[in-house]
Structures are given as C-alpha cells and as structure tokens.
Amino acid sequence: MKTTTTNLVADVAAAKAERTVYPVLVMISVSHLVNDTIQSLIPASYPILRTSLNLSFSALGLITLVFQLAASILQPFVGAYTDRRPKPYFLVMGMAFSFAGLLLLAFAQTYPLVLLAVVLVGMGSAVFHPEASKVAYLASGGRRGFAQSVFQLGGNAGSSAGPLLAALIIAPFHQERIAWFAVLAIIGMMVLTRVAAWYKAHLIFRAQQTKSIQDNVAPFPRKKVIIAIGILLILIFSKYFYMASMTSYFTFYLIDKFNISVSSAQIHLFLFLFAVAAGTLIGGPLGDKIGRKYVIWISILGVAPFSLALPYAGLAVTSILSVFIGIILASAFSAILVYAQELMPGKVGLIAGLFFGLAFGMGGLGSALLGQLADRTSIGYVYQVCSYLPLLGLLAVFLPDTKKVKKTKA
C-alpha cells in the first residue's frame, strides 16, 4: 500500500511539473476501449435479439434511439456537475452501470427489459466520458492534444473490436453469451479504481497548492467564445454525419455500385476504420505543435476534395479515397475538444460531455436520417449529398487562434 501511495504522489507531481503521465493515459485509454467495446455490442447483437424476441426493424431502431439518447443527453449535465464537484469514483460507477446493462441484456426475455438494459449502458457511457476526458486532460503534462488522441484511440479500437468479438462469441451461439463480456466490465472497473485513486490524489494535491487565477480566465470575450463554440458544434455535426454515412452504409454503397460480395465490402470498410484509428493519433499531437485551429481547418475542409470525388470514382480509387477521408476526418475530434476546453478554462468536464454527447447524438441521428434518404432515393444519392458536408469546414476561418494568445501571455 505504501508503494502504491508513493507512486500516486510521484505521478501527481509529474503532472503538476508539466510532464505527461503515461501510465495514467494508457489506463484511461484501455478503459475507453472497454467502454466502447461494450457499447458496440448493442448493435452487433441485433440479429440475435431480432430472432429471439421477434423484433421488427422499427423496434431495433428504437433500441438505437433509446441508447443514443441515454448516452448523449446526460453527458453535458454530468460534465457540468463534476466541474463544480469532482467525483473521481464516478469513473468506476459508470463502468458498473455498463456491467449491469450487459448482464440484463444477456438475459432479457422481453422488449422493455432490452430497452432498460441499453439505457443502463448509455448511462454508463454518459458518466464515464466527461470524467475520463478530464483525467486525460490532467495527465497530459501540457500535451493536451496528444493525451486526447491516446484516449480516443482506445475508444476507436473498442468500437472496431466489438462487432468482431460479437461475431466470434455471440452470433454462433445465443443471447446469453453477451454475459461473457461482463468480464471486460470487471477489468474496466479494476483499472478505473486505480485511475480514480490517482485522480483523487491529484485533486488533493491541487487543493494544497496556490491556485493560479489565470488558469480559469477565458482567453477571449464571452461573445467570441460563444460564437466559436457554436462553430465547433457545427463542425462536429459535419464530421459525424459524414462518419455515419461511412460506418453505416459504406458496405451497401460498394455492393450496390460495384456489385462486390459482402465480405469484400467489409474489407473495404475495415480499411476505412483502420484509417480512422490512424488519424486519431495524428490530430492531437499535430495541434500541440502547429495550433489546433489549423488542424481543425485541415481535418474538416481538407476532406472535401476526397469526399466530392468519391461518388464518381471506380472501386480501387474509392478505396484509396476512403482511406484518406478516414485519416483526415478522424484527426478532427481531439483538436476540436481540446480547443473548446482551452476556450472555456475550468469547464473541462462540461465541454467533454457536450462534445461527446453531440458526437453520439449526431451519429445516431445521421444514421437514421441518411437511411430514410437512401430508402426514398438511392444509396448513391446519399453519398452525393454527404460529399458537400466537409465544406462546412470553411467556418473554421472565423475561429480565434488560441496558440497566439498563449504566446502573448507567455
């Protein structure tokens, strides 16, 4: 116990000395992987649930909507609350909600119980993300973009791994096999208990120090900050609507346009998802070096030439374009999140909750609306419409440059 306490103090001292606390970043990234793996099991289990409970596609859509609402709406409120009253062990509590939701989903024999199960998983995610993002911020040692990228990498890996694990473990068997993944939640709670202890020690350390007034002073006038936050929310809309078109319908687009097999289309989707994972690690560190405004500009508007060309390209070029789109577009979120946190110092949890919540909401809403558009027109038309979304990145020109402000203060 003494060694553990000593390590905690050393890690906290490292963070205060502006040194990146890598063990904490790794643990919070692994926890994000567990959280998002659990989330991704919900849609991956739809074929089994549809058969076992005789559900319609509308009923499955409602499950998605209920989960997304639970995960997105609560997050800003959790973030705002923990900004005022930090709760390190909320991290463990969030994973406990997901644990309970998984077990209930595994043994639910009625549709209302399934809805309750996904609400619990959604609540777990809503509690986890704001505090976990705050831990990444505190452990960054000033490399905030890098820290958020590492944190996001875990989430992207979990989202990609979930369907594969479900295909291997759940699909060949029965609904009850979902309970096996509760082991992941237990591991997540164990890891987060250690993270929460570090977080608590960090808060105690901070309370004993003289607090710098400048740390919580906004770098720009209130009106300018509000406008900038509004622009960032529009850019999140652009990113996640386009991402929804790729993650939900890219395989259908490839099959419809090029008449390829399902397995071949899934390989192309995997390449896109792999590119997304790679892009996640680029945006944050690059923003630390050249300024987050420029990364935001590049990562949203920079997708436009590729997205505009994609609906008219052949199969090989489409695959190449999708890789560039994945890398460039994925670099946006870490830069946007940290930029917003720098615009509103002292509101790290609120900003994390707001932007993660909006990302969840836009992903779910985008999937639903684009599905309706595809039914009424064609899947090819969906990609023609979505190809213009990255042009909203032009709004980034109105964002203030926080890097210049920091240099002026220095």
Side-chain angles (χ1 to χ4, degrees):
M1 181 64 70
K2 186 176 181 181
T3 302
T4 301
T5 303
T6 302
N7 291 341
L8 282 172
V9 172
D11 286 346
V12 169
K16 295 303 289 183
E18 290 294 298
R19 293 199 300 272
T20 306
V21 186
Y22 292 101
V24 173
L25 287 183
V26 170
M27 286 190 288
I28 206 67
S29 182
V30 169
S31 303
H32 200 186
L33 183 151
V34 171
N35 181 83
D36 284 25
T37 297
I38 292 172
Q39 285 179 185
S40 66
L41 290 175
I42 293 175
S45 65
Y46 283 175
I48 290 179
L49 292 174
R50 184 167 186 256
T51 301
S52 62
L53 299 180
N54 194 28
L55 300 178
S56 65
F57 286 113
S58 296
L60 293 176
L62 183 59
I63 294 174
T64 302
L65 177 62
V66 168
F67 166 71
Q68 295 284 12
L69 287 177
S72 60
I73 292 177
L74 287 176
Q75 288 201 47
F77 296 101
V78 172
Y81 175 74
T82 57
D83 280 337
R84 297 192 302 271
R85 298 179 180 85
K87 303 290 183 182
Y89 288 94
F90 264 28
L91 291 164
V92 184
M93 186 178 75
M95 194 63 69
F97 274 123
S98 295
F99 172 77
L102 264 186
L103 289 181
L104 182 57
L105 184 63
F107 300 104
Q109 297 300 312
T110 64
Y111 185 61
L113 284 179
V114 170
L115 292 179
L116 177 59
V118 301
V119 165
L120 288 172
V121 175
M123 289 173 62
S125 184
V127 173
F128 169 80
H129 278 107
E131 283 295 83
S133 181
K134 193 183 299 182
V135 169
Y137 186 94
L138 294 174
S140 67
R143 299 172 65 193
R144 294 166 183 168
F146 168 76
Q148 286 297 330
S149 288
V150 172
F151 176 59
Q152 281 298 109
L153 182 63
N156 286 344
S159 297
S160 302
L164 178 61
L165 292 173
L168 295 174
I169 298 174
I170 301 174
F173 302 99
H174 299 288
Q175 180 182 342
E176 291 77 10
R177 281 293 182 98
I178 296 173
W180 285 28
F181 290 93
V183 175
L184 282 179
I186 294 173
I187 294 172
M189 284 188 280
M190 293 171 63
V191 173
L192 287 172
T193 298
R194 180 71 177 82
V195 173
W198 178 86
Y199 185 11
K200 184 177 180 181
H202 192 284
L203 293 174
I204 293 172
F205 189 91
R206 283 183 62 189
Q208 294 171 347
Q209 306 303 307
T210 303
K211 189 175 181 182
S212 172
I213 297 176
Q214 196 178 43
D215 287 343
N216 288 321
V217 176
F220 300 103
R222 179 181 176 85
K223 183 178 179 181
K224 198 168 189 177
V225 170
I226 292 174
I227 293 173
I229 293 294
I231 291 173
L232 293 176
L233 292 177
I234 293 173
L235 297 182
I236 287 289
F237 156 79
S238 167
K239 168 182 164 58
Y240 279 94
F241 251 67
Y242 194 89
M243 284 290 289
S245 75
M246 296 297 287
T247 56
S248 297
Y249 302 110
F250 191 46
T251 53
F252 296 105
Y253 171 75
L254 295 173
I255 292 169
D256 179 74
K257 183 172 182 178
F258 301 110
N259 197 30
I260 61 176
S261 66
V262 174
S263 59
S264 179
Q266 288 173 333
I267 291 173
H268 287 278
L269 178 60
F270 169 76
L271 289 174
F272 169 75
L273 293 175
F274 183 82
V276 168
T280 300
L281 276 179
I282 295 173
L286 191 61
D288 290 336
K289 290 183 178 181
I290 69 172
R292 308 191 206 289
K293 174 181 176 179
Y294 304 107
V295 173
I296 294 169
W297 177 279
I298 295 168
S299 61
I300 302 295
L301 184 61
V303 174
F306 305 99
S307 66
L308 289 168
L310 187 139
Y312 310 100
L315 179 59
V317 176
T318 294
S319 187
I320 294 171
L321 290 173
S322 72
V323 169
F324 279 104
I325 289 170
I327 292 174
I328 298 171
L329 196 60
S331 66
F333 189 79
S334 295
I336 289 174
L337 182 63
V338 176
Y339 180 89
Q341 289 171 338
E342 290 175 347
L343 285 175
M344 298 181 67
K347 304 293 184 182
V348 176
L350 171 62
I351 291 299
L354 179 63
F355 281 82
F356 274 109
L358 186 67
F360 272 94
M362 288 299 101
L365 182 61
S367 181
L369 293 180
L370 293 176
Q372 289 187 9
L373 180 63
D375 286 337
R376 294 181 180 180
T377 56
S378 69
I379 193 69
Y381 184 71
V382 166
Y383 282 87
Q384 290 176 14
V385 171
C386 289
S387 68
Y388 294 97
L389 285 173
L391 292 177
L392 289 172
L394 287 168
L395 292 173
V397 73
F398 298 107
L399 293 174
D401 192 344
T402 56
K403 195 174 182 69
K404 288 182 180 178
V405 172
K406 284 190 281 187
K407 285 182 179 179
T408 302
K409 287 183 177 180

